[in-house]
Amino acid sequence: MTDVVLSVDNIGKSFREYGSEWRRFASWAGLNSPRVKEHWVLRNIGFLVRRGEAVGIVGQNGAGKSTLLKIITGTLGATEGQVRVSGRIAAILELGMGFNPDLTGRQNVEHSAGLMGFSRADIAALIPSIEAFAEIGEYFDEPLRTYSSGMQMRVAFSLATAARPDVLIVDEALAVGDAYFVHKCFKRIREFRDDGTTLLIVSHDKSAVQALCDRAVMIDKGRLVADGGPQEILDLYNAMIAEKEGGTVKQERRDDGTAVTTSGTGEAVVDDIWLENAKGTRAEMVGVGENVELVIRASIRHDIPSLVIGYMIRDRLGQVMFGTNTFYAQHSIANAVAGEVHELRAAFPMALGAGSYAVSVALASSETHLVDNFEWRDLALVFSVANMQQLPFVGSAWLPPAMRVTRLPPG
């Protein structure tokens, strides 16, 4: 347990509505009134984070994620439970939190850095690098009220990461940044990770969680409902978003330890899915550039006016390589009748790099499974791609060039 940097033990948080100041005063004296309403936003939250580990926290809006981060950073007290942190925490929570709009960016940095425990000498040494990383020019000496939200985020992130922390906590603040600065932030986060910083990140950006995190935890309605690999948790999160009626989400563990997540109301279900190679036979491994067919068979259990079959190919980290459906291809199925079986054949060249890939399948009534989710199945098919005939290359995509080199005359 010596490598545990963060311990969240049975955390709960409730907010009370007293109705009057007299009842509030009575509660301080130990007198409880049945008219006091208590609302629990977190209950029984517990997990450990080890040194150098990156953990994503996912959940729908209002699940309690930001409240949990505030408790971990100490800006909000817990009603029950305990948080133990080893080392210095740097946190980027609510945008501009702790900043004074009437002070300049430089003055806010000096003030906030002092509250973070830095000495005057440390602050003086860090400010040039903070100013350079933020890249807001002369605005650094202008009042914060003149800043855009993106400029505020630049200053806040630059301050929080000016010195490598033991634990870095990032809420959704990065969502307001421009693409250039977000890439710059993620580069610094990766460098911190390589140097041993522990990362706790809340984000609705699935690719960020997949790329940065070793594992993820999911919070739903104030309770921790899952803790596991990023892809497993994100699959479950996606299924719970699509779920309408309740009780339709299930996870099954494969022999290799991965979890297959399935959700849907069941009017149509996937019977079978496979990949055919150039010879027309089922294959678990195909070559780079080989012509293949993805075959999906779906059975209709109840009459439905419209059926759309979609698929998505993802790499081993869960990043989407390609996705489409019969709606976009103008091949939607109208008036599907119970008992029918429909087969989709999608032919394409395997323009992917060598590696392991997985296919997710969706059966819905339109282009999105968030309207009528008949069935969504992650890890429905796993296959490998090997470079057996093409020239060597690196990367996830096979983009063979027609290359030409010409010697130009001097001058």
Side-chain angles (χ1 to χ4, degrees), residues 74-96:
T75 59
L76 185 66
T79 305
E80 61 184 19
Q82 189 174 20
V83 173
R84 300 181 183 87
V85 181
S86 174
R88 187 177 73 85
I89 288 183
I92 308 171
L93 302 179
E94 295 177 3
L95 192 63

Side-chain angles (χ1 to χ4, degrees), residues 100-397:
N100 186 324
D102 294 321
L103 299 180
T104 67
R106 187 184 305 275
Q107 291 168 334
N108 270 296
V109 166
E110 292 172 344
H111 179 259
S112 297
L115 295 177
M116 292 166 64
F118 290 106
S119 66
R120 288 184 177 273
D122 291 336
I123 295 171
L126 289 173
I127 277 189
S129 63
I130 294 172
E131 182 177 5
F133 192 87
E135 293 187 70
I136 60 171
E138 61 187 18
Y139 277 97
F140 197 61
D141 289 303
E142 295 294 330
L144 200 75
R145 64 173 178 270
T146 66
Y147 287 21
S148 66
S149 59
M151 292 167 66
Q152 290 185 49
M153 191 277 284
R154 283 174 173 245
V155 174
F157 185 89
S158 302
L159 169 62
T161 62
R164 187 181 71 82
D166 297 296
V167 181
L168 177 62
I169 298 177
V170 182
D171 204 341
E172 290 284 359
L174 292 181
V176 302
D178 58 88
Y180 162 74
F181 195 74
V182 169
H183 279 285
K184 191 175 179 180
C185 292
F186 281 132
K187 182 175 183 291
R188 174 166 281 190
I189 289 172
R190 290 188 183 96
E191 290 171 350
F192 282 175
R193 280 213 58 201
D194 293 342
D195 291 336
T197 292
T198 298
L199 175 66
L200 208 61
I201 181 171
V202 169
S203 178
H204 287 103
D205 182 355
K206 296 180 181 180
S207 61
V209 175
Q210 292 163 343
L212 291 173
C213 297
D214 304 303
R215 70 181 233 259
V217 297
M218 179 175 169
I219 297 177
D220 186 52
K221 299 176 182 177
R223 295 182 180 271
L224 194 149
V225 296
D227 184 342
Q231 191 55 57
E232 175 183 335
I233 301 303
L234 288 171
D235 287 345
L236 180 61
Y237 175 55
N238 183 70
M240 292 186 71
I241 290 176
E243 182 184 34
K244 301 296 183 184
E245 301 301 328
T248 66
V249 177
K250 63 179 181 179
Q251 278 193 326
E252 297 176 349
R253 192 70 57 178
R254 294 164 57 101
D255 293 339
D256 60 3
T258 58
V260 178
T261 305
T262 305
S263 66
T265 51
E267 286 88 342
V269 296
V270 176
D271 277 343
D272 201 0
I273 174 173
W274 70 90
L275 195 66
E276 289 186 4
N277 58 22
K279 298 178 181 179
T281 58
R282 294 194 183 203
E284 295 182 359
M285 178 179 289
V286 295
V288 171
E290 183 176 355
N291 290 320
V292 301
E293 273 196 318
L294 177 65
V295 186
I296 302 171
R297 283 183 183 168
S299 290
I300 311 302
R301 291 183 173 178
H302 300 281
D303 295 353
I304 47 180
S306 176
L307 173 65
V308 173
I309 304 175
Y311 67 90
M312 185 166 57
I313 301 174
R314 298 190 286 189
D315 67 8
R316 63 181 182 83
L317 297 177
Q319 305 284 7
V320 177
M321 298 290 101
F322 180 80
T324 189
N325 59 45
T326 55
F327 179 89
Y328 297 139
Q330 298 182 349
H331 285 292
S332 298
I333 301 163
N335 300 317
V337 178
E340 293 179 344
V341 176
H342 293 267
E343 181 179 274
L344 167 67
R345 284 184 170 266
F348 54 91
M350 187 54 70
L352 296 175
S356 176
Y357 299 89
V359 180
S360 297
V361 180
L363 305 179
S365 63
S366 64
E367 73 271 25
T368 171
H369 70 289
L370 299 181
V371 178
D372 291 307
N373 175 32
F374 303 140
E375 182 168 271
W376 173 285
R377 185 181 300 182
D378 287 298
L379 291 175
L381 173 68
V382 177
F383 66 93
S384 297
V385 177
N387 189 1
M388 297 180 283
Q389 296 180 331
Q390 311 302 333
L391 295 176
F393 69 99
V394 296
S396 299

